[in-house]
Amino acid sequence: MPSGLVELLTWDTAFWGVRAARLHVSNGDEFDAADRACADDNIRWASVLVPHSNAPLLNSAVRRGFDVVDTRITLVRSLVDLSVRTQFDLAGVGDIAQISEIAATAFRVSRFFVDPHLDDSACELFYETWVRNSFNGEMADATVVSRHDGSVDGFMTLRSRPDHTASLPLVATRSDRRGQGVGRRLLSDALSWLADQGATTVDVVTQLSNIAAVRLYESAGFQITDAGFWLHRWY
């Protein structure tokens, strides 16, 4: 494969059962080279993230048969000025089953569910697996939860980095508890835990179409710093 242009996604390939790759291209010539490499290496599914400011690259992708499956945004908040700390509730292994059940159906607007080539039941299992991997340190460092009547009604996975930045990889609320302040409580708890770990900034990625999530983060002091388009092509 051309060096740096095509990244074989080994975990995704194993999970979805097809050879999957991500393209790292910045112009049409690189797109052509990566496209040929995918064909030569029997790549079945390729994805590319195009910055919102690069309209020529977006046009190049569409002309080559890529479909837009997601408009993603990144929001960032400083934790240096976090004055209010809350008593967070960290999930334990006994909570995995309930959290997995919430995760299975919580991310319907994600690019995986949007892609018609991917079966919904497989997408549900994808997020369940992601959650379970969050408890072994592979995908997260901790998970804060909200409880109602003894049951988990929402969760947020947390990831800290050596440079004192952090992220919120997965955020979800049980369907019958949405609109009742669960997300706001979870976010407050998550920021408190991360600040205690020494994080100075935190970022989160979500879909622009997820209006409720965007409003939640903006109300908590997050600001949009980046946007881009996810595109998929099936060969």
Side-chain angles (χ1 to χ4, degrees):
M1 292 186 184
S3 177
L5 296 183
V6 180
E7 175 192 1
L8 179 65
L9 302 177
T10 54
W11 190 91
D12 297 73
T13 295
F15 179 85
W16 298 104
V18 296
R19 286 181 67 77
R22 179 176 176 182
L23 309 189
H24 301 277
V25 296
S26 58
N27 55 59
D29 290 340
E30 289 183 349
F31 238 131
D32 287 337
D35 217 21
R36 290 192 297 270
C38 286
D40 292 343
D41 200 46
N42 296 316
I43 297 298
R44 174 74 174 126
W45 170 28
S47 59
V48 62
L49 179 61
V50 177
H52 75 286
S53 58
N54 197 336
L57 188 62
L58 180 61
N59 286 323
S60 292
V62 172
R63 284 197 301 269
R64 287 165 174 80
F66 282 78
D67 295 317
V68 177
V69 290
D70 185 17
T71 303
R72 88 167 203 169
I73 58 173
T74 301
L75 301 98
V76 177
R77 187 202 195 281
S78 171
L79 295 177
V80 175
D81 61 345
L82 188 69
S83 57
V84 178
R85 302 291 179 89
T86 57
Q87 294 295 318
F88 43 79
D89 183 358
L90 293 183
V93 293
D95 298 314
I96 294 178
Q98 291 185 67
I99 293 175
S100 297
E101 184 177 353
I102 295 171
T105 57
F107 304 100
R108 296 284 175 175
V109 295
S110 75
R111 63 189 178 100
F112 302 103
F113 276 103
V114 169
D115 191 325
H117 296 87
L118 300 174
D119 181 73
D120 282 358
S121 60
C123 292
E124 293 174 0
L125 180 58
F126 173 81
Y127 283 104
E128 290 181 45
T129 304
W130 189 336
V131 162
R132 292 181 183 278
N133 287 343
S134 296
F135 280 83
N136 62 19
E138 183 179 344
M139 306 295 288
D141 298 307
T143 301
V144 293
V145 293
S146 169
R147 302 179 194 274
H148 178 72
D149 290 340
S151 298
V152 174
D153 62 359
F155 72 93
M156 209 174 264
T157 64
L158 317 173
R159 190 69 156 173
S160 56
R161 308 183 183 104
D163 63 355
H164 301 291
T165 64
S167 65
L168 308 174
L170 288 180
V171 181
T173 301
R174 206 173 68 204
S175 58
D176 63 330
R177 293 284 292 158
R178 292 171 189 162
Q180 301 182 48
V182 175
R184 192 173 303 279
R185 291 195 298 273
L186 283 169
L187 185 55
S188 180
D189 291 351
L191 299 185
S192 296
W193 186 88
L194 290 170
D196 285 353
Q197 305 308 304
T200 56
T201 61
V202 58
D203 57 74
V204 62
V205 173
T206 190
Q207 292 77 30
L208 184 60
S209 60
N210 193 343
I211 297 173
V214 176
R215 286 177 176 169
L216 169 65
Y217 297 129
E218 289 184 330
S219 69
F222 284 73
Q223 293 186 331
I224 297 173
T225 60
D226 193 22
F229 303 97
W230 272 114
L231 297 98
H232 291 178
R233 178 180 175 183
W234 289 79
Y235 291 87

